[in-house]
Amino acid sequence: MNKKVLSFQLATTYIGAIVGAGFASGQELMQFFVIFGFYGLIGVFLSGTAFALMGYFICQIVIKNKIHGYQTFLIKVLGNKIGLIVDIWITISIFMGLGIMLAGCAAVLQEKLFVNYYVGIIVSSVIVLIALFKGERGVLGINSILIPMLIIITILVSFASIGFAQKEVFQAGENPLIGKQWGIALLLYVSYNMVTSLVIITSIDHYKLKAGIKGFLFGGVLLGIIGLIMVYAMQLFWPEILTTEIPMLYLTEGLDSRLSFLYALAMLSAMLTTAVANGFGLITRVGSLFRMKQNNLSIAIVFMALPISVLGFGNLIGHFYPVFGYVGALIILAVLYKQIKQSCKILK
């Protein structure tokens, strides 16, 4: 495969693993950046740089050690005992993430298309299963098609709403779990999302990663730019935007109805791609533990995630993301330690 095409696919897959229910809806960005006013803008910009560097560093470790699956990666960077504990925690985390993505899909269908919430969960689950049945090729293919569409529409909606807004002064609040510490919010945001990113990166063949590694740098930078535009747009509608489950859809209410509908579909697609990434990572991790065909395992995993999705989208984002972020921080520190240690060896 052409390296440029592969880099593009990996960049969109990397973005797709992060811009799921929380990011695309604006709920995640609102709770981790929008509420901090001006400092939130700084935070979301820095997050893009962090995503670019961490994605690149993780790829280098995977390529050098020919790793397949996040269990092997964790043992390599954290050791057997700690690696096992974090492995279990991440498995729980991405399982919860799958439920959150399904909840987000159902929330969009309910708020914009007036589909019953529980019916939306079922429909979303079926779509995720169809994608999982296609394996790695399906994951890369879906992201390369849906993510560019999401990026274009997100930028259009954000700029259009910026022009529509009347406010010029940002107000700051606080996150219920981390107060006014925007730096901690930045760390938790990046570290939580790196958990999902780690899962999808280590699930892809290392030969493909080597050929398209630059895609992760591009993907991270692009995430920072998109996030900055979205956060700026949402801050102009504070505090009214806090009352909605889907902040980005709230921004479209004063815009063309066709653009609003199109964004709803694009956001739904983003959530589905992350749900697929989580599901694919779980299959890669637990596939060797059970003597089940991939399709049957996919059905079992999605079915078990359904009870999580009924807890409500906003509640899941606000409470589970910060908690799982602390574990992601441990992984980030371990990866950085490995990179610094490797760099010191090269200098010697």
Side-chain angles (χ1 to χ4, degrees), residues 129-274:
L129 283 173
I130 293 174
L132 289 177
F133 290 165
K134 297 181 180 296
E136 182 180 297
R137 187 176 63 178
V139 175
L140 293 175
I142 288 175
N143 280 281
S144 63
I145 295 173
L146 297 181
I147 295 304
M149 177 181 69
L150 171 71
I151 292 172
I152 293 172
I153 297 173
T154 298
I155 292 176
L156 286 175
V157 169
S158 298
F159 276 123
S161 61
I162 288 172
F164 181 74
Q166 300 298 319
K167 297 180 180 179
E168 296 181 357
V169 180
F170 299 143
Q171 297 181 17
E174 60 181 60
N175 184 289
L177 294 182
I178 54 181
K180 298 181 179 181
Q181 304 299 317
W182 69 272
I184 295 178
L186 165 63
L187 175 62
L188 293 178
Y189 171 74
V190 173
S191 59
Y192 175 80
N193 280 294
M194 283 313 304
V195 170
T196 307
S197 303
L198 169 67
V199 170
I200 194 62
I201 291 173
T202 56
S203 298
I204 297 174
D205 188 280
H206 66 274
Y207 289 110
K208 290 184 179 179
L209 294 179
K210 184 175 182 179
I213 191 171
K214 291 181 180 179
F216 293 94
L217 291 172
F218 174 72
V221 171
L222 190 56
L223 272 169
I225 295 173
I226 299 169
L228 184 63
I229 296 172
M230 292 172 66
V231 168
Y232 180 81
M234 285 188 283
Q235 284 180 339
L236 295 176
F237 290 85
W238 176 282
E240 297 86 357
I241 202 169
L242 294 177
T243 62
T244 180
E245 189 88 339
I246 312 292
M248 285 302 293
L249 285 184
Y250 177 81
L251 296 187
T252 67
E253 290 183 0
L255 306 176
D256 190 292
S257 59
R258 292 171 294 182
L259 185 60
S260 176
F261 179 77
L262 192 59
Y263 186 81
L265 293 180
M267 185 171 60
L268 183 64
S269 299
M271 295 177 183
L272 290 172
T273 58
T274 304

Side-chain angles (χ1 to χ4, degrees), residues 95-111:
F95 178 70
M96 293 293 297
L98 175 58
I100 292 173
M101 296 306 116
L102 295 177
C105 291
V108 172
L109 291 172
Q110 181 182 47
E111 187 163 325

